[in-house]
Amino acid sequence: MAEQEGIQLVERDEEGVDIAFRQDVLAGLSQRQKAIPARWLYDDAGSQLFEDITQLPEYYPTRAETEILESRGADFARLIGPGRAVVEFGSGSSVKTPLLLKAIDPGAYVPLDISGDFLRASAAELSAKIPGLPVHPVEADFTKRVELPAEVADMPKLGFFPGSTIGNMVPRTAVDLLREMRATLGSEALLLIGMDLIKDTEVLEAAYDDAAGVTAEFNLNLLHRINRELEGTIPVDQFRHEARWVDTYARIEMHAVAQADVTFEVAGESFAMQAGESIHTENSHKFDMRSSNTLLLAGHWTPVARWTDAQERFSLILAHATVPRAAP
């Protein structure tokens, strides 16, 4: 039976404002190149918009990853085995997560997400799809170590981090996250992680700037969220969405670009931007085999198996928690 309320680990002030959100926004808007961590794109509205993005014809990652999950279930069952508590970093996809869970016969499912309402809704939906599976949602910032529910303390763990969300982070932050995941999951854990692959620039840019404008709405929703939750006065209609491929860093960057000189307030602090200046809202790094292996090893995970879709657009990698050892 699913735990109805789950665990709440997000720290809020007396007015209910997420303290970390406010700190990140104020710090990011104070930089020369204004930037806000991508995780704050995913409030309830942003999470739903992202689900809409995954259905767009230009957005290939979800279809490619789903293809792997549909075709490699026997491999997952053999290499992962039954009885593990599957800890998903981010609320589960209504399509992808059940494919994995049905393939490996888990002992429990623990979704972690910072967006509480979306988390509980997706947990309830999954419980209906897989009756009898214990589901324990935890509302938390999974970029930090998370204390898992007592019900799964003695179970072996499988971390599940699909969608190439790891690509949203610069390498240093990605390594920190992977190490926090290892601390959360324990020394005997496995990790199944999605990483998008380097490909033609035209394909990549279209995936992050779709013709219907859904990604633009998703990006600019962050500014609406700041206005809603932090007493912001950002003139959102004066900003436009932009997606750029930056070859030096092998990543797509998303920016909210000011189309005119603007001034605004957030949480009582004043800010100004000139036309053409931007708020950097997301990175989406792309990988090849060497760079993905290097990242995982730096994060204390050892790759043990790798799968790609038929067109080699996307990869799923299974890794084992690295046993500490002396150099080299």
Side-chain angles (χ1 to χ4, degrees), residues 266-327:
V266 174
E269 296 192 19
S270 298
F271 301 93
M273 295 176 64
Q274 295 181 341
E277 283 191 276
S278 72
I279 303 171
H280 186 175
T281 57
E282 186 178 67
N283 294 314
S284 187
H285 292 83
K286 309 305 173 184
F287 301 91
D288 58 19
M289 184 176 69
R290 292 181 180 87
S291 61
S292 60
N293 283 352
T294 298
L295 186 66
L296 286 165
L297 290 166
H300 298 165
W301 295 93
T302 301
V304 296
R306 175 187 308 270
W307 302 272
T308 65
D309 64 294
Q311 297 183 48
E312 298 187 345
R313 298 168 296 178
F314 195 93
S315 64
L316 269 175
I317 303 167
L318 183 67
H320 194 286
T322 302
V323 177
R325 52 169 290 181

Side-chain angles (χ1 to χ4, degrees), residues 3-265:
E3 185 173 321
Q4 295 301 310
E5 295 300 324
I7 300 174
Q8 292 191 4
L9 298 176
V10 175
E11 187 178 0
R12 302 183 185 277
D13 67 13
E14 62 277 3
E15 296 179 352
V17 175
D18 187 316
I19 294 172
F21 177 48
R22 181 174 58 213
Q23 290 174 338
D24 280 352
V25 169
L26 293 178
L29 292 177
S30 299
Q31 299 171 16
R32 172 180 285 185
Q33 170 58 73
K34 293 173 169 49
I36 298 172
R39 67 179 180 274
W40 300 117
L41 291 161
Y42 296 90
D43 64 345
D44 291 338
S47 296
Q48 184 56 61
L49 283 166
F50 182 73
E51 288 294 307
D52 296 341
I53 288 169
T54 66
Q55 305 301 312
L56 296 169
E58 298 96 332
Y59 194 78
Y60 62 86
T62 300
R63 292 189 298 277
E65 190 172 30
T66 300
E67 177 189 320
I68 300 169
L69 288 163
E70 288 175 334
S71 63
R72 297 294 187 172
D75 291 346
F76 301 146
R78 175 173 55 85
L79 292 170
I80 295 169
R84 288 185 179 266
V86 176
V87 180
E88 183 165 3
F89 296 89
S91 289
S93 160
S94 60
V95 175
K96 291 186 288 188
T97 303
L99 290 171
L100 174 65
L101 297 178
K102 290 176 181 178
I104 65 172
D105 188 21
Y109 173 61
V110 183
L112 311 178
D113 201 272
I114 203 165
S115 178
D117 291 342
F118 191 80
L119 166 72
R120 286 180 281 277
S122 63
E125 182 179 355
L126 191 137
S127 291
K129 287 187 174 182
I130 310 179
L133 176 67
V135 179
H136 308 285
V138 178
E139 183 180 357
D141 179 358
F142 63 71
T143 63
K144 303 178 177 63
R145 181 173 180 173
V146 178
E147 203 67 40
L148 297 177
E151 292 88 341
V152 303
D154 296 328
M155 293 182 183
K157 313 293 191 304
L158 169 71
F160 186 40
F161 198 37
S164 200
T165 305
I166 194 70
N168 293 151
M169 299 158 196
V170 297
R172 173 185 54 80
T173 308
V175 168
D176 288 346
L177 174 61
L178 289 167
R179 292 179 179 182
E180 294 293 353
M181 287 177 169
R182 188 187 183 283
T184 294
L185 297 170
S187 60
E188 298 301 316
L190 295 171
L191 175 67
L192 185 63
I193 184 169
M195 292 194 184
D196 198 9
L197 300 176
I198 296 170
K199 57 186 67 65
D200 289 345
T201 302
E202 294 80 5
V203 175
L204 290 167
E205 289 183 341
Y208 294 85
D209 192 10
D210 60 278
V214 182
T215 310
E217 185 179 357
F218 169 68
N219 191 16
L220 297 178
N221 177 68
L222 175 59
L223 307 187
H224 287 296
R225 179 183 184 182
I226 292 169
N227 287 347
R228 287 193 300 267
E229 298 184 22
L230 301 179
E231 299 180 339
T233 61
I234 300 173
V236 182
D237 61 347
Q238 294 297 307
F239 286 80
R240 62 176 173 81
H241 164 69
E242 184 175 296
R244 315 168 181 167
W245 172 250
V246 182
D247 195 65
T248 300
Y249 304 118
R251 72 190 187 198
I252 287 282
E253 293 182 359
M254 289 203 328
H255 292 255
V257 183
Q259 301 181 85
D261 295 350
V262 295
T263 59
F264 54 88
E265 292 188 357

